[in-house]
């Protein structure tokens, strides 16, 4: 499986600010995704990060709030914009390797908005 | 879109007993069904998966069964141990990596 590095691993953010989370993979992968896991909840797909083009967002998530970049096959960023306490969650990067159907997760970025 | 339902939300068993978690899905085009285990404070980890052309798969103490007609699949853990205590998530996908997850089952194995 791919080695996925996410940073920051944890942060406390002020209301109204924005934070960018980085995801780096040690090998080229077919697809990269961003998930959100609110406290005690399941994993919800935010968007698919497309290499060299705009991300594909799921219902309920918009580019203005969660801008995503993927400049190459091994790196992606997710920005959480204009944060409110409701954005306090774990944000997880995940990847689909070139072979197989299974996605693997990064260690997650734990954001607390105060 | 795909909707995955998972039951029960919590499950408590005695060490050595079996545990069964059930999921249903709505999208008949889904063809890949993984199960993830998430321990407190850690990332979800794949424990077993099954594809739509297979009815059952087993890996030591864990097994997964799939009924495509009824659109449901189940996770079976035998001879449970305290280290099996975690939250388990089922998921469904069309094979493109865009997983839809169930709500999760918190399994507690009492020693």
């Amino acid at each position: 499986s791919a080695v996925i590095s996410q940073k920051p691993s944890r942060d406390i953010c002020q209301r109204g600010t924005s934070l960018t989370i980085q995801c780096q993979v040690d090998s080229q992968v077919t697809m990269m995704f961003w998930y959100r896991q609110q406290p005690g909840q399941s994993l919800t797909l935010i968007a698919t990060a497309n290499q060299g083009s705009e991300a594909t967002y799921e219902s309920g998530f918009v580019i203005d709030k969660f801008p995503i970049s993927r400049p190459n096959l091994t790196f992606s960023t997710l920005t959480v914009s204009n944060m409110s306490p409701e954005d306090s969650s774990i944000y997880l990067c995940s990847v689909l390797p070139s072979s197989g159907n299974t996605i693997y997760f990064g260690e997650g970025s734990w954001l607390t908005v105060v | 879109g795909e909707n995955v339902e998972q039951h029960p939300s919590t499950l408590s068993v005695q060490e050595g007993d079996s545990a069964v978690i059930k999921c249903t899905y709505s999208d008949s085009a889904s063809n890949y069904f993984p199960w993830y285990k998430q321990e407190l404070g850690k990332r979800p980890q794949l424990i077993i998966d099954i594809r739509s052309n297979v009815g059952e798969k087993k890996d030591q103490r864990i097994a997964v069964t799939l009924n495509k007609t009824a659109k449901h699949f189940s996770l079976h853990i035998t001879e449970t141990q305290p280290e099996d205590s975690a939250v388990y998530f089922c998921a469904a996908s069309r094979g493109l990596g865009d997983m839809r997850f169930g709500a999760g089952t918190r399994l507690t194995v009492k020693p």
Side-chain angles (χ1 to χ4, degrees):
Chain A
S1 62
V3 176
I4 307 165
S5 302
Q6 245 186 272
K7 59 180 181 181
S9 57
R10 191 179 295 268
D11 208 342
I12 298 174
C13 307
Q14 294 295 318
R15 186 191 305 244
T17 63
S18 300
L19 182 79
T20 296
I21 303 166
Q22 298 181 4
C23 178
Q24 178 74 54
V25 191
D26 68 342
S27 59
Q28 293 186 357
V29 294
T30 304
M31 303 184 79
M32 297 180 75
F33 306 90
W34 287 98
Y35 283 82
R36 181 176 73 182
Q37 187 174 29
Q38 294 177 304
Q41 302 297 312
S42 185
L43 298 102
T44 302
L45 180 63
I46 297 172
T48 302
N50 299 310
Q51 193 259 328
S53 63
E54 189 173 292
T56 304
Y57 290 85
E58 297 298 309
S59 176
F61 298 96
V62 295
I63 188 171
D64 289 346
K65 177 66 176 177
F66 298 102
I68 289 170
S69 77
R70 188 180 173 193
N72 56 52
L73 292 175
T74 63
F75 184 78
S76 178
T77 66
L78 167 73
T79 299
V80 186
S81 303
N82 187 25
M83 286 184 284
S84 66
E86 293 72 35
D87 294 320
S88 298
S89 290
I90 306 170
Y91 292 86
L92 294 135
C93 170
S94 67
V95 304
L96 176 67
S98 301
S99 59
N101 296 44
T102 303
I103 67 168
Y104 297 93
F105 288 93
E107 292 187 352
S109 297
W110 298 59
L111 301 189
T112 301
V113 184
V114 297
Chain B
E2 175 68 276
N3 181 45
V4 179
E5 295 191 358
Q6 183 172 345
H7 300 280
S9 57
T10 61
L11 179 59
S12 181
V13 300
Q14 207 65 38
E15 182 177 0
D17 288 350
S18 295
V20 180
I21 303 170
K22 298 181 179 182
C23 288
T24 61
Y25 61 99
S26 60
D27 185 356
S28 57
S30 290
N31 57 17
Y32 178 66
F33 308 93
W35 287 87
Y36 289 83
K37 175 183 179 182
Q38 188 175 32
E39 297 175 333
L40 188 63
K42 297 188 176 180
R43 77 184 90 183
Q45 297 271 22
L46 178 75
I47 56 171
I48 196 167
D49 57 10
I50 192 167
R51 287 167 174 76
S52 59
N53 59 345
V54 175
E56 184 174 359
K57 183 177 179 180
K58 188 173 182 180
D59 183 4
Q60 299 183 341
R61 295 188 297 109
I62 59 173
V64 58
T65 58
L66 171 66
N67 183 326
K68 278 200 68 178
T69 303
K71 296 198 187 73
H72 66 71
F73 55 113
S74 301
L75 177 71
H76 305 252
I77 306 174
T78 59
E79 302 171 26
T80 54
Q81 302 166 2
E83 49 266 39
D84 294 329
S85 296
V87 179
Y88 291 81
F89 293 99
C90 64
S93 167
R94 292 186 174 191
L96 301 177
D98 52 340
M99 306 283 179
R100 299 294 187 267
F101 285 84
T105 297
R106 182 175 300 279
L107 173 64
T108 302
V109 180
K110 299 178 182 177

